[in-house]
Amino acid sequence: MTPLSILELVRVTEETDARGALDNARDLAAHAESWGYHRIWVAEHHNMHGIASAATSIVLAHIAAGTKTIRVGAGGIMLPNHAPYIIAEQFGTLARLFPGRIDLGLGRAPGTDQLTLRALRRSPNNADNFPQDVLELQAFLAPAGPEQRIVAVPAAGTEVPLWILGSSNFGAMLAAELGLPYAFASHFAPDLLLPALEIYKSRFKPSEQLDRPYAMVGVNVIAAETDADAARLATTQQMSFADIFKGARGLSKPPIDDIETYWGPMERAQAKQMLARSIIGSPATVRAGMEALVEETGADELILVSDVYDHAARLRSVELIAEAWGIGAG
């Protein structure tokens, strides 16, 4: 059975502050661990009132401390925002604290707007150095040589596994060239999913980390007892995407009965395009959709976004997905 993982958004809602969002993320991870999920990832976002994962390595430490076996990682760190040396120190420290459980997914997008990028004291041109920065980071996580004058302490020798994240063909080509696992963000950029996976698999070069291609596909999956119940829960995510196009990003909103009353024709078309591969419904509907996605893509792993407003309902969604997929451990 294809492994399932979770991409946790650490959503701040109209009823839950940032501390509550962080604690809910940790609670979700603990439940996901007991239900058989393979890993839980958190992404770096800045200047977004509705997402509390800006200090990503600290959030991961909070989650990892509340779990025992599930892999915990970044999905991802936006490397152009940081010096590779600093990221090596942070994730090497996590690897020392939680050995054998830490992943480091890397993206080249800023994860924010241009004004915030300036506040980070980073240049938009840093993205051009992404391939070199990945190699530099990898070197700092490798065992230090006897003559090495700059050592990332305590990261050297941890060899934290790196992933390349992408929503276009660039990441696919880089992951293939470097022989790294690849995660595609079809949960918001579905159009290039199949071309990117084809490029990655056809051009893959084995490396010390990986001897064959390994592709993980990101997908929105929301489950409830019935298709109708799941469709209502999904309106929270639909409103979030509509708000992006309205230029009104804010806190996560509770579900509504009729999404058509919330968005206009333009927002509807844009949101539906980005959410085109979402799988929403009862356990049977969800299983069928996930099976079709794996068959179509040959994915080695699925990483799910189950963006549900109420924490209890989100836990139930994640549990139902695990039961439907047959991974539940209890």
Side-chain angles (χ1 to χ4, degrees), residues 6 10 20 81 85 104 108 114-115 120 123 142 153 165 179 207 268 279 282 305 307 313 316 327 329:
I6 295 173
V10 198
N81 294 344
Y85 185 76
L104 177 46
R108 70 178 180 127
Q114 294 300 309
L115 187 63
L120 290 168
S123 166
V153 180
L165 278 59
S207 67
R268 181 183 188 276
I279 300 170
S282 67
V305 178
D307 189 5
R316 183 58 178 155
I327 63 168

Side-chain angles (χ1 to χ4, degrees), residues 119-139:
L120 290 168
R121 299 296 191 271
R122 308 300 287 175
S123 166
N125 297 328
N126 286 349
D128 297 338
N129 301 323
F130 182 65
Q132 293 77 18
D133 286 348
V134 172
L135 292 173
E136 183 178 341
L137 173 57
Q138 191 174 48

Side-chain angles (χ1 to χ4, degrees), residues 222-235 255-258 280-283 285:
I222 295 174
E225 303 298 339
T226 68
D227 288 351
D229 289 342
R232 187 177 189 277
L233 292 178
T235 60
I256 57 177
D257 292 330
D258 184 6
I280 298 164
S282 67
T285 299

Side-chain angles (χ1 to χ4, degrees), residues 94-170:
L94 286 169
R96 297 298 184 190
L97 290 170
F98 309 102
R101 295 179 56 203
I102 301 300
D103 301 322
L104 177 46
L106 302 168
R108 70 178 180 127
T112 189
D113 56 84
Q114 294 300 309
L115 187 63
T116 307
L117 193 62
R118 287 196 289 272
L120 290 168
R121 299 296 191 271
R122 308 300 287 175
S123 166
N125 297 328
N126 286 349
D128 297 338
N129 301 323
F130 182 65
Q132 293 77 18
D133 286 348
V134 172
L135 292 173
E136 183 178 341
L137 173 57
Q138 191 174 48
F140 280 129
L141 293 168
E147 304 299 322
Q148 187 171 328
R149 298 183 63 186
I150 302 176
V151 177
V153 180
T158 57
E159 297 182 296
V160 175
L162 301 185
W163 290 69
I164 300 297
L165 278 59
S167 56
S168 68
N169 293 340
F170 178 88

Side-chain angles (χ1 to χ4, degrees), residues 208-274:
E208 289 187 15
Q209 180 177 328
L210 196 63
D211 61 1
R212 56 172 292 274
Y214 191 95
M216 180 161 63
V217 172
V219 57
N220 300 297
V221 185
I222 295 174
E225 303 298 339
T226 68
D227 288 351
D229 289 342
R232 187 177 189 277
L233 292 178
T235 60
T236 289
Q237 185 179 52
Q238 292 169 332
M239 287 187 286
S240 295
F241 274 76
D243 287 347
I244 293 173
F245 301 117
K246 292 178 180 180
R249 296 184 187 220
L251 303 183
S252 185
K253 296 180 173 66
I256 57 177
D257 292 330
D258 184 6
I259 188 62
E260 301 301 332
T261 64
Y262 189 83
W263 55 23
M266 185 66 72
E267 293 88 22
R268 181 183 188 276
Q270 292 171 313
K272 281 189 171 293
Q273 185 276 322
M274 295 182 73

